[in-house]
Amino acid sequence: MHPRFERSLLHPRFWLTWFFLFLLRIMVWLPLPVQHAVGHILGTVFYHVNDKRRRIAAININTCFPELTEPERERLLKQHFKAYGASIFDLAVSWWASRSRLEHLTSVHGMHHYQQALDNKQNVILLTGHMLTVDLCGRFISHYRPGVSMMKPLKNPLINWLVYRGRRRGGNIMVYREQGLRPMVRYLRNDYTAYIMPDEDFGSPASVFAPFFTMQSWTVTSLSVLARLGNAVVIPVAMCSKFGGKGYDLHLQPPLDNFPGGDDVEDATKMNQALEELIRKMPEMYAWTFKLFKTRPQGEDELY
């Protein structure tokens, strides 16, 4: 259901949010390096005051990058929080910047993989993870063909309305998670590109354990189901902010080979390997503050 703008969103309890959005709307006109410089300051503040999220991110980074030295992991952790702060402005760019400005800011790598699939009249699923620029990436991809994606309703109804509205730019369609895969399949079969982020461990029973970095991750099997029902190829994609607000890099990888293959664990492993390859290109841009390995195999201790 499309979240309508209602008069209740003008209630005084939302005035502080409206004030913040007003400032964000003004700042989106500033040069991107200025926006990101402010974002890095905000991110540094988050790093120091949000003990819970800093702890979760540190556990994830230490677990996934054992090859790094302790100072290198600490540096990555701080870079992540700076990128997190800057991503507030990247989100504003996705909501309000013009198409021409976004195209000017973005360098594209591997677009021929996607374009070839479109030229061949194939149904396409773009696979991505919970990157900090996931909204911006979806907005840019819609320049080639409108997409359909899935979101979880947000607790703040004003932010939920604005995020939903922003993600529908470029002719995109949004469905809520509780609606299931059926509407995704329908749009996929009708010339919409599916854009999905199946890397969150939300405890779904429709999951299997598959390797992700150094751990066994409780991985949903929805990508295999969607690809099979939609007769679609799967192309991994992610967008990265260049350091210093110098623009964005969009990376697309070749389609997953022999996917789905019929074995849920093998399919989940292929998916996780593709996501890991993208994340290693831009490790500070991944959502390390999520409890990525919340569900553990029987007999393993909780990680968090």
Side-chain angles (χ1 to χ4, degrees):
M1 181 181 295
H2 192 298
R4 297 176 300 172
F5 181 87
E6 299 178 355
R7 292 181 63 85
S8 61
L9 297 182
L10 299 176
H11 190 277
R13 70 189 179 100
F14 294 117
W15 285 359
L16 183 61
T17 305
W18 277 115
F19 177 69
F20 171 75
L21 293 173
F22 174 73
L23 292 179
L24 199 60
R25 182 67 180 89
I26 292 175
M27 292 191 69
V28 79
W29 294 106
L30 296 175
L32 194 62
V34 176
Q35 295 180 48
H36 276 207
V38 175
H40 288 172
I41 294 172
L42 293 176
T44 301
V45 173
F46 295 158
Y47 170 85
H48 287 289
V49 303
N50 198 328
D51 294 342
K52 176 182 177 181
R53 292 300 168 186
R54 185 179 68 246
R55 176 179 172 274
I56 292 171
I59 290 172
N60 285 330
I61 288 174
N62 291 341
T63 300
C64 293
F65 297 98
E67 71 277 11
L68 298 182
T69 64
E70 185 174 344
E72 288 172 334
R73 292 196 293 267
E74 179 65 21
R75 189 179 309 118
L76 176 55
L77 179 64
K78 292 179 178 179
Q79 288 173 341
H80 167 68
F81 274 88
K82 287 182 178 181
Y84 183 87
S87 72
I88 296 172
F89 298 98
D90 296 331
L91 187 59
V93 170
S94 75
W95 288 346
W96 294 306
S98 67
R99 172 172 175 169
S100 60
R101 185 184 184 194
L102 183 53
E103 289 181 342
H104 174 73
L105 289 170
T106 305
S107 300
V108 182
H109 312 273
M111 182 55 72
H112 62 282
H113 299 302
Y114 185 38
Q115 192 61 59
Q116 184 176 7
L118 297 183
D119 292 343
N120 291 338
K121 308 298 182 185
Q122 292 175 291
N123 297 333
V124 181
I125 299 171
L126 293 177
L127 164 67
T128 193
H130 281 77
M131 314 300 291
L132 299 178
T133 48
V134 66
D135 285 69
L136 196 62
C137 182
R139 164 79 193 288
F140 187 90
I141 288 292
S142 70
H143 297 173
Y144 294 82
R145 184 168 73 176
V148 57
S149 191
M150 186 177 287
M151 69 177 282
K152 178 173 64 176
L154 304 176
K155 293 181 180 179
N156 184 315
L158 174 55
I159 299 299
N160 187 70
W161 170 78
L162 193 58
V163 169
Y164 188 100
R165 176 178 175 271
R167 290 180 176 179
R168 285 172 58 91
R169 292 191 70 183
N172 291 329
I173 301 292
M174 295 302 305
V175 299
Y176 282 127
R177 180 182 290 173
E178 61 265 26
Q179 294 177 262
L181 288 179
R182 183 171 295 180
M184 295 284 289
V185 173
R186 184 173 69 250
Y187 284 111
L188 182 57
R189 290 174 175 175
N190 285 275
D191 297 328
Y192 282 83
T193 292
Y195 182 60
I196 69 169
M197 298 156 282
D199 58 329
E200 183 179 358
D201 178 1
F202 53 89
S204 170
S207 305
V208 295
F209 280 110
F212 184 53
F213 284 90
T214 62
M215 299 288 285
Q216 289 292 314
S217 174
W218 190 236
T219 306
V220 294
T221 57
S222 53
L223 178 64
S224 299
V225 175
L226 185 59
R228 183 176 67 254
L229 295 179
N231 189 28
V233 297
V234 177
I235 298 176
V237 60
M239 180 178 274
C240 174
S241 289
K242 297 179 183 178
F243 185 79
K246 296 178 181 178
Y248 307 100
D249 277 321
L250 178 69
H251 294 272
L252 296 98
Q253 296 180 170
L256 299 187
D257 185 47
N258 189 30
F259 190 94
D263 183 286
D264 286 342
V265 174
E266 289 183 4
D267 287 347
T269 299
K270 284 184 180 180
M271 182 187 85
N272 285 349
Q273 287 174 341
L275 289 174
E276 181 177 337
E277 184 177 341
L278 283 170
I279 293 166
R280 286 185 179 277
K281 293 179 185 290
M282 50 190 86
E284 74 282 1
M285 300 300 299
Y286 192 56
W288 297 113
T289 55
F290 282 16
K291 291 184 177 181
L292 302 172
F293 307 108
K294 180 171 58 177
T295 304
R296 306 308 314 134
Q298 187 173 5
E300 279 196 19
D301 294 334
E302 292 186 4
L303 192 61
Y304 306 102

